[in-house]
Amino acid sequence: QVQLEESGPGLVKPSQTLSLTCTVSGDSISSGNSYWSWIRQPAGKGLEWIGRIYTTGSTNYNPSLKSRVTISVDTSKNQFSLKLSSVTAADTAVYYCARQKIQLWLSNDSWGQGILVTVSS
Amino acid sequence: QSVLTQPPSVSGAPGQRVTLSCTGSSSNIGAGFDVHWYQHLPGTAPKLLIYGNTNRPSGVPDRFSGSKSGTSASLAITGLQAEDEADYYCQSYDSSLSGSVFGGGTKVTVL
């Protein structure tokens, strides 16, 4: 059974770069059967898609965040990462990593538990 | 403002049937892109309920069913139970944004 786990700092200062890593177990990013996504949820609000990456390194980003987002993959460690630059308080949210399974019509069938990232000085 | 529109809340008594709507446009649901539904309990990871408009992953009770027509999709919950009280999100793909989009979510309350 696939498991995803987010890791990274829970507190980031305004204007700095938020960096998170998602470690995948029970599935291989290199298998090519899925895309690997980042999704966030600000407190009291809905889910927001940030972007995704494929094993080849090909990425898609939310246009509203595209200028600040970088998603990368390390297949040797079976991990993928998120960097969000120039953060503000509006970027405070629970950040989830998720698998987007091609076989399941590109639905996000497995999610990490989420990590709360607070942007504050 | 979410690209996909969901009612903020829906309620029903135990045993009743409730229907959650998800309204999109010609660049997402209306363009033929698939709709997925998720159940989200506070403090937990969202759970996939319906994928590809109508399909249930193994382990999801058949009380949950999905449908799609035109620019809208729906999630029906029959035989409502207390454990169904949660937030529900629809998701699709938008060609003008070249990415996934979520609805704003619907909170289901069991009276």
Side-chain angles (χ1 to χ4, degrees):
Chain A
Q1 178 162 339
V2 64
Q3 290 188 317
L4 296 91
E5 183 174 6
E6 306 89 351
S7 60
L11 181 63
V12 181
K13 288 181 167 49
S15 80
Q16 293 191 342
T17 296
L18 178 160
S19 297
L20 297 175
T21 296
C22 183
T23 300
V24 180
S25 57
D27 189 10
S28 171
I29 290 179
S30 298
S31 69
N33 60 18
S34 303
Y35 289 84
W36 303 91
S37 305
W38 286 99
I39 295 156
R40 70 180 183 179
Q41 183 178 34
K45 297 188 178 181
L47 299 171
E48 180 181 31
W49 180 76
I50 298 172
R52 70 179 187 182
I53 191 164
Y54 190 60
T55 182
T56 57
S58 173
T59 54
N60 300 100
Y61 297 134
N62 185 325
S64 69
L65 299 170
K66 189 173 184 176
S67 64
R68 299 192 292 129
V69 172
T70 302
I71 297 176
S72 59
V73 65
D74 186 338
T75 54
S76 67
K77 295 181 179 179
N78 217 32
Q79 295 175 333
F80 63 107
S81 298
L82 168 71
K83 290 190 185 299
L84 181 65
S85 64
S86 305
V87 297
T88 69
D91 295 309
T92 295
V94 175
Y95 286 76
Y96 296 97
C97 58
R99 181 177 73 174
Q100 189 181 26
K101 193 120 175 115
I102 296 171
Q103 192 176 13
L104 296 182
W105 281 253
L106 292 173
S107 60
N108 292 107
D109 73 317
S110 297
W111 298 63
Q113 284 300 304
I115 184 169
L116 173 62
V117 179
T118 301
V119 178
S120 174
S121 56
Chain B
Q1 185 110 3
S2 302
V3 173
L4 304 179
T5 300
Q6 297 183 249
S9 63
V10 166
S11 62
Q16 281 191 332
R17 180 181 192 270
V18 296
T19 302
L20 285 61
S21 62
C22 175
T23 302
S25 67
S26 58
S27 62
N28 41 69
I29 299 175
F33 294 110
D34 295 310
V35 177
H36 317 300
W37 291 90
Y38 303 88
Q39 180 189 61
H40 192 200
L41 295 161
T44 69
K47 174 186 174 183
L48 178 65
L49 270 186
I50 298 288
Y51 67 93
N53 309 311
T54 61
N55 304 289
R56 276 187 312 275
S58 60
V60 173
D62 60 6
R63 303 186 294 104
F64 296 91
S65 62
S67 63
K68 175 186 158 184
S69 178
T71 58
S72 295
S74 295
L75 173 72
I77 310 174
T78 57
L80 196 62
Q81 299 181 4
E83 66 201 48
D84 299 332
E85 197 161 276
D87 296 320
Y88 293 81
Y89 293 90
C90 59
Q91 179 196 29
S92 187
Y93 179 86
D94 191 284
S95 58
S96 63
L97 299 174
S98 298
S100 286
V101 288
F102 285 96
T106 296
K107 182 174 182 58
V108 170
T109 300
V110 182
L111 301 172

